């Protein structure tokens, strides 16, 4: 049966669950997250999903730093340091730096996406970045299954070499920001599959 017109009733329950979670994932702004802490066991399950991402050569190029609770004070300083080292016109303005610090407290859970490669890489960097992106997606889907929402933030501060150095990471691809939704999840749509796929049979 053609996959495009397959009857979902014929799918095994596990497949339906995975597909439902994928469709339920939402990008939600930090301001729309509740302040409630994410339980440690849930966070660990999310991280465990991340380390099972595919990676060419079994290099496992990912490392994660988790910021939650009072630990967000360290992240707040990382944001301020990275902003001060950037090119923004107000980078020396204390109020601007304080605004950067405040960002860390607006979400209950932050997970850094750190790219670690050996001195003599087995794989090209783009493949390792793709592996880390797969890990991030795994974590995001696991978070969705636990009722969490959030976004992958990758602005200048979040990928700054200064921020990476502060975390002991060679390179940062941003941070995954997660929390419980403060409002009902919005609906989403995608262009029809037929618009994006060419079949060669």
């Amino acid at each position: 049966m053609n996959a495009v017109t397959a009857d979902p009733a014929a799918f095994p329950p596990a497949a339906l669950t995975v597909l439902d979670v994928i469709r339920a994932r939402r990008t939600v702004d930090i301001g729309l997250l509740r302040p409630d802490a994410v339980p440690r066991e849930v966070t660990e399950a999310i991280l465990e999903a991340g380390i099972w991402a595919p990676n060419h050569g079994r290099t496992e190029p990912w490392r994660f730093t988790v910021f939650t609770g009072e630990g967000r004070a360290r992240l707040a300083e990382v944001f301020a340091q990275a902003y001060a080292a950037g090119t923004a016109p107000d980078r020396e303005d204390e109020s601007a730096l304080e605004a950067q610090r405040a960002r860390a407290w607006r979400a209950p859970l932050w997970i850094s996406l750190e790219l670690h490669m050996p001195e003599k890489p087995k794989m090209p960097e783009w493949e390792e970045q793709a592996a880390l992106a797969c890990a991030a997606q795994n974590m995001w889907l696991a978070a969705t299954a636990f009722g969490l929402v959030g976004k992958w933030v990758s602005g200048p501060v979040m990928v700054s070499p200064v921020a990476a150095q502060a975390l002991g990471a060679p390179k940062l691809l941003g941070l995954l920001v997660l929390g419980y939704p403060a409002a009902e999840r919005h609906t989403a749509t995608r262009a029809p599959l037929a618009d994006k796929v060419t079949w060669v049979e």
Side-chain angles (χ1 to χ4, degrees), residues 7 22 25 49 65 74 87 90 120 166-167:
D7 180 4
I22 290 171
R25 185 210 57 77
T65 302
R74 182 184 173 199
T87 59
D90 60 352
K120 296 181 179 179
L167 298 183

Side-chain angles (χ1 to χ4, degrees), residues 23-26 184-190:
R23 285 190 289 263
R25 185 210 57 77
R26 292 291 180 272
E184 186 174 343
R185 299 185 191 188
H186 61 273
T187 59
T189 60
R190 289 291 187 272

Side-chain angles (χ1 to χ4, degrees), residues 25-66:
R25 185 210 57 77
R26 292 291 180 272
T27 296
V28 173
D29 286 335
I30 295 173
L32 298 177
L33 302 179
R34 299 199 326 244
D36 310 54
V38 178
R40 174 70 174 256
E41 58 272 22
V42 171
T43 303
E44 289 182 346
I46 291 168
L47 293 164
E48 182 74 18
I51 66 173
W52 281 98
N55 56 112
H56 193 188
R58 299 180 181 177
T59 57
E60 300 185 40
W62 42 69
R63 299 292 185 277
F64 312 110
T65 302
V66 180

Side-chain angles (χ1 to χ4, degrees), residues 103 113 151-160 172-176:
R103 297 172 77 173
L113 304 174
K151 65 190 303 184
W152 180 345
V153 291
S154 56
V157 166
M158 280 74 175
V159 298
S160 164
L172 270 179
L173 297 191
L175 294 101
L176 199 58

Side-chain angles (χ1 to χ4, degrees), residues 6 43 50 77 83 92 105 111 120 146 164 182 192:
T43 303
E77 289 308 314
Y83 193 81
E92 296 181 359
W105 300 98
I111 301 174
K120 296 181 179 179
F146 281 107

